[in-house]
Amino acid sequence: MCACLRYQSHPGKSLEVHIKGVVQKAMRHSSFPVVKWAAYFHDLGKINPFFQRKLQTKEVSGYTAHAYLSALAWLDFASKNRQILRQEMKDIVDIYITFMLIVKHHGNLPNIAQPISREHLSQLAIFLKKKPYLPFSDFLKENLGIEHTPFELSESTIDREWLGVFVQKMAEKWKDEPLNYFLETQFAFAALIEGDKRDASNNNYYAFQKLLPRLQVLLPQSLTRKFNSFPGDSLMNQQRTSLRKEAEESLKKHLKSGKQRLFTLTAPTGAGKTLTLLSLANIIQQKHPGLGIVYALPFLSIIEQTQHIAESLLANNKNLVLPISSKAQDKEMEALIKQLDSDMSEELIEKLLKRDFLRITFDHPFVITTFVQLFETLLSNRNSTLLKLPNLANRIFLIDEIQALPPRLYIFFSAWLHTFCERHNCFAIFSSATMPSFDLPHKPHMQREKNSLHPQSFFATYTPPVELLDYRKYFTQGCFNRYRIIRHVPFEVEDDMCLVDSVLKQNTSCLLIVNTIKDSKRFYRLFKERVSGAPKSSTAKLYLLNTHFTAYDRRRKILRIQKDLKENSRVILVSTQLIEAGVDIDFPVVYRDFCPLPALIQSAGRCNRNNKLE
């Protein structure tokens, strides 16, 4: 290597070492040629002498940016090395995608028709007019070992009129396959930025690969131990076992055919869906050993509950479960932060940074997260969000309480996830007691043109999920047919006390679910007034739950209520809808404000949940 071609990418790190490191790390997630070439060129513009001077913390008055230099160097290279690229890239759009990735790798993925800034090009033109020393071609050959036809970036390279025409042509061509081009671009961008940030921080720790073998050994052992611990003489457990085994056998048949990647598990509330889902994930892992698990839930209030089930299952191996949400408690991260109070060593800081990177990239074989985290990542163009996307490949998605999505998104996310699973070796199981329909709407006969906006044209290969159970027979079983729904005599809207008195007359624990936080607070105050004036011997323990409480406090309250109910204390809980999906809580009587039928069925899942009453 010529001494004159030595450059830095970051303080103390050579440019060639960084570029080679990014190529290697980015291509762990994708073998797409766009990723390789974007990684080779993304920081090539750091050869800029003003950028090198800035790295040395010296005063700089010239053009110090590098992304546009790198991107235009790529276009110049591509124009003079078509023979090399023709062997790898399927069409000219791939060259354009590579250009976009390079020019925006420190920002967000841009609109396809507006990837460049005219103002930035003007600054770059002024810089190139001074003919700075930019040995891109020599660096590629001597430092990175890429044989090619030489090229030279100069002022004449920036033909803004040509660039504008090129961008418009690519935007038009994009419309031929919008979904494929977007997914390719999005994933390639995510692989590039994850590799870039990982290499810049000298982070070579991959938790997914390190922990996955241990999870695949312990999960089946733990599930077998758990299922064997359930009493066989309980009718409820007999039905839960029957349901699970039917789902397992059905899944095995579909995996054997190899045609289906999306499934549904429709089962009554209280049927043990969490453990059944984990058992189904274990079966998929046995068939496809390289797959990790992402368990997605709609509400923060049930993240901790599912985390507790998973961690209890994998006893003494809690680091095999990583909850990620805005309120999730990461005990390992908290312990590291606490240690920093007394030990500011570089080793401990490095551990903390690696743990943080692990969380923001989903680099873990068993992640429990929210719908928001999962679905935003699948659709995002934002740099920080897309860091997770590479680690969503090779996954089993367990999507619990799918009915909690806005109804307009049911089919869209099913179709989007189907496409993602096909491209990235994934499987998905939707779970609910009130499963939505995932069939695409019928396409009118008149809409058959190539660029039709109808969903059937956009999601051309979509097939709806396959149900794993003959679920109707379970809903009619006595142990799951645990409640009667009675329409209460209508109250006057302003006569809240009638409802309060009706609940108090039950002489047993009651759950009241209302539709707004305002209503929950109002009824809680009314109950408090009545309960405070009652004899102590008849006083119920009164609780309020809504999203104005933190997730931590909600979880503490739910645990306390569960304990009170087990001890046969009389409990009155006023709650919003946050209690109605996935929360393992069992009241003998539930009052539900007027609501759609699926919400009513979900609410009823909190009533006589464990079938202790007639």
Side-chain angles (χ1 to χ4, degrees):
M1 183 184 73
C2 177
C4 63
L5 296 181
R6 288 182 178 172
Y7 301 95
Q8 287 189 321
S9 64
H10 305 83
K13 188 161 195 171
S14 73
L15 181 57
E16 63 268 21
V17 168
H18 174 60
I19 289 177
K20 288 176 181 177
V22 175
V23 171
Q24 184 265 329
K25 291 176 174 64
M27 294 193 71
R28 284 177 66 105
H29 296 294
S30 174
S31 58
F32 189 27
V34 161
V35 175
K36 180 185 80 172
W37 288 109
Y40 271 122
F41 274 82
H42 80 289
D43 272 359
L44 207 59
K46 288 184 175 180
I47 286 175
N48 178 354
F50 288 112
F51 181 89
Q52 291 297 310
R53 186 178 178 87
K54 183 180 177 181
L55 275 184
Q56 298 166 18
T57 64
K58 295 181 180 179
E59 285 190 22
V60 181
S61 57
Y63 181 82
T64 60
H66 70 278
Y68 274 74
L69 270 174
S70 303
L72 289 171
W74 160 250
L75 288 183
D76 210 11
F77 170 87
S79 68
K80 293 181 174 61
N81 291 274
R82 294 177 184 175
Q83 194 63 37
I84 295 175
L85 298 179
R86 196 174 288 128
Q87 298 170 13
E88 300 185 28
M89 299 201 163
K90 64 181 181 183
D91 58 32
I92 195 170
V93 178
D94 284 352
I95 291 174
Y96 182 59
I97 291 172
T98 309
F99 169 77
M100 282 202 302
L101 265 54
I102 296 167
V103 85
K104 290 294 183 180
H105 72 276
H106 285 303
N108 298 327
L109 200 58
N111 187 309
I112 178 67
Q114 299 170 324
I116 50 180
S117 160
R118 294 285 174 178
E119 181 183 351
H120 214 122
L121 285 178
S122 298
Q123 295 173 8
L124 184 55
I126 295 169
F127 167 71
L128 291 174
K129 194 171 186 178
K130 298 176 182 178
K131 298 182 178 179
Y133 180 55
L134 299 170
F136 295 132
S137 194
D138 290 342
F139 189 86
L140 281 173
K141 182 178 179 181
E142 299 297 329
N143 296 51
L144 301 179
I146 298 175
E147 295 291 340
H148 63 283
T149 301
F151 65 98
E152 184 179 359
L153 188 62
S154 63
E155 182 189 2
S156 61
T157 307
I158 303 183
D159 183 335
R160 275 166 282 182
E161 184 177 340
W162 175 85
L163 266 178
V165 172
F166 178 61
V167 167
Q168 288 305 312
K169 281 185 176 180
M170 293 303 100
E172 283 301 312
K173 191 168 177 58
W174 188 280
K175 293 177 183 178
D176 293 342
E177 299 179 65
L179 182 61
N180 284 335
Y181 281 135
F182 174 77
L183 289 172
E184 286 179 359
T185 304
Q186 183 199 41
F187 198 86
F189 184 72
L192 173 66
I193 61 175
E194 198 270 355
D196 187 22
K197 288 178 171 59
R198 183 182 284 276
D199 190 80
S201 60
N202 299 313
N203 184 355
N204 295 307
Y205 176 71
Y206 290 88
F208 185 102
Q209 295 300 328
K210 183 174 181 180
L211 297 176
L212 181 60
R214 187 146 57 98
L215 176 65
Q216 290 174 329
V217 170
L218 291 174
L219 183 58
Q221 294 175 354
S222 302
L223 285 167
T224 301
R225 192 162 51 245
K226 185 71 173 177
F227 294 139
N228 288 340
S229 71
F230 293 134
D233 56 353
S234 162
L235 179 60
M236 176 75 83
N237 285 336
Q238 289 172 8
Q239 289 300 317
R240 285 170 174 167
T241 300
S242 174
L243 182 151
R244 172 175 55 82
K245 288 186 175 180
E246 181 183 336
E248 289 173 350
E249 290 305 312
S250 178
L251 178 61
K252 287 175 183 176
K253 289 177 183 177
H254 287 295
L255 292 178
K256 193 173 182 180
S257 71
K259 295 179 181 178
Q260 192 67 30
R261 290 188 175 270
L262 259 63
F263 304 94
T264 55
L265 180 73
T266 307
T269 55
K273 289 194 290 291
T274 301
L275 288 174
T276 299
L277 285 172
L278 292 175
S279 181
L280 296 174
N282 174 52
I283 288 171
I284 297 173
Q285 278 189 332
Q286 290 173 2
K287 181 79 173 175
H288 301 273
L291 305 189
I293 298 170
V294 172
Y295 200 123
L297 296 148
F299 308 122
L300 293 171
S301 57
I302 52 177
I303 286 274
E304 286 188 1
Q305 176 179 293
T306 304
Q307 178 189 353
H308 176 71
I309 292 171
E311 288 182 343
S312 299
L313 185 68
L314 300 164
N316 302 319
N317 288 278
K318 293 184 178 180
N319 65 327
L320 288 180
V321 180
L322 181 66
I324 301 177
S325 71
S326 59
K327 303 292 185 183
Q329 184 181 16
D330 185 342
K331 294 176 182 176
E332 189 168 331
M333 176 77 85
E334 291 174 358
L336 287 170
I337 293 171
K338 191 173 181 180
Q339 285 180 340
L340 276 177
D341 290 339
S342 56
D343 178 11
M344 290 289 288
S345 67
E346 288 186 13
E347 182 183 355
L348 194 58
I349 292 171
E350 185 179 346
K351 281 184 180 179
L352 185 65
L353 292 175
K354 285 181 178 179
R355 183 70 182 180
D356 184 54
F357 192 79
L358 177 154
R359 293 180 59 80
I360 65 175
T361 60
F362 275 21
D363 178 25
H364 196 279
F366 190 172
V367 172
I368 299 176
T369 192
T370 59
F371 283 3
V372 171
Q373 293 266 358
L374 174 60
F375 292 131
E376 276 194 354
T377 302
L378 289 172
L379 291 164
S380 183
N381 75 317
R382 288 165 45 215
N383 191 300
S384 58
T385 306
L386 284 176
L387 282 171
K388 304 179 185 74
L389 190 65
N391 282 309
L392 291 185
N394 303 305
R395 290 287 190 173
I396 303 157
F397 298 107
L398 306 177
I399 302 179
D400 206 355
E401 307 294 355
I402 185 68
Q403 84 289 339
L405 275 176
R408 69 182 185 280
L409 298 180
Y410 291 153
I411 298 172
F412 174 76
F413 276 122
S414 178
W416 191 274
L417 200 54
H418 174 268
T419 306
F420 187 87
C421 287
E422 282 191 325
R423 297 177 71 94
H424 298 295
N425 187 33
C426 298
F427 293 85
I429 305 174
F430 301 144
S431 175
S432 177
T434 52
M435 191 67 69
S437 170
F438 297 107
D439 292 331
L440 280 174
H442 177 67
K443 182 178 179 180
H445 187 70
M446 66 189 75
Q447 289 189 331
R448 297 200 181 277
E449 63 271 23
K450 186 177 182 181
N451 291 324
S452 168
L453 295 178
H454 193 276
Q456 285 185 344
S457 296
F458 194 67
F459 297 109
T461 65
Y462 174 64
T463 54
V466 171
E467 175 58 47
L468 294 173
L469 287 174
D470 177 13
Y471 55 84
R472 291 173 182 83
K473 65 185 180 186
Y474 294 103
F475 280 92
T476 57
Q477 288 294 326
C479 61
F480 293 125
N481 190 13
R482 307 179 305 262
Y483 54 83
R484 287 181 296 117
I485 297 174
I486 302 169
R487 186 180 179 190
H488 210 292
V489 177
F491 298 115
E492 295 296 328
V493 174
E494 67 276 7
D495 193 5
D496 296 335
M497 291 309 300
C498 288
L499 178 56
V500 172
D501 289 339
S502 178
V503 171
L504 291 174
K505 284 177 184 176
Q506 292 293 332
N507 291 320
T508 187
S509 293
C510 287
L511 166 61
L512 171 64
I513 305 175
V514 292
N515 290 327
T516 67
I517 293 174
K518 182 179 178 182
D519 281 347
S520 72
K521 291 180 177 180
R522 185 173 75 253
F523 278 108
Y524 177 77
R525 284 195 296 268
L526 292 173
F527 276 113
K528 198 169 183 180
E529 290 171 8
R530 282 297 174 95
V531 170
S532 63
K536 285 191 176 182
S537 58
S538 62
T539 300
K541 294 184 177 181
L542 184 62
Y543 294 94
L544 172 65
L545 273 177
N546 58 49
T547 52
H548 280 183
F549 294 100
T550 66
Y552 174 73
D553 286 333
R554 293 200 299 268
R555 176 62 184 156
R556 286 183 63 196
K557 283 193 177 192
I558 289 170
L559 288 173
R560 200 180 310 153
I561 293 166
Q562 289 170 332
K563 182 174 180 292
D564 287 341
L565 291 170
K566 284 180 181 178
E567 294 174 352
N568 295 319
S569 298
R570 188 183 176 201
V571 173
I572 294 175
L573 169 59
V574 182
S575 177
T576 55
Q577 300 99 308
L578 69 85
I579 199 74
E580 73 184 19
V583 179
D584 187 9
I585 203 162
D586 187 356
F587 278 85
V589 178
V590 175
Y591 285 73
R592 181 61 170 89
D593 202 351
F594 190 75
C595 62
L597 183 59
L600 183 64
I601 295 169
Q602 291 292 339
S603 298
R606 307 322 115 196
C607 184
N608 195 21
R609 183 176 179 84
N610 295 314
N611 200 31
K612 293 179 180 178
L613 306 172
E614 291 295 329

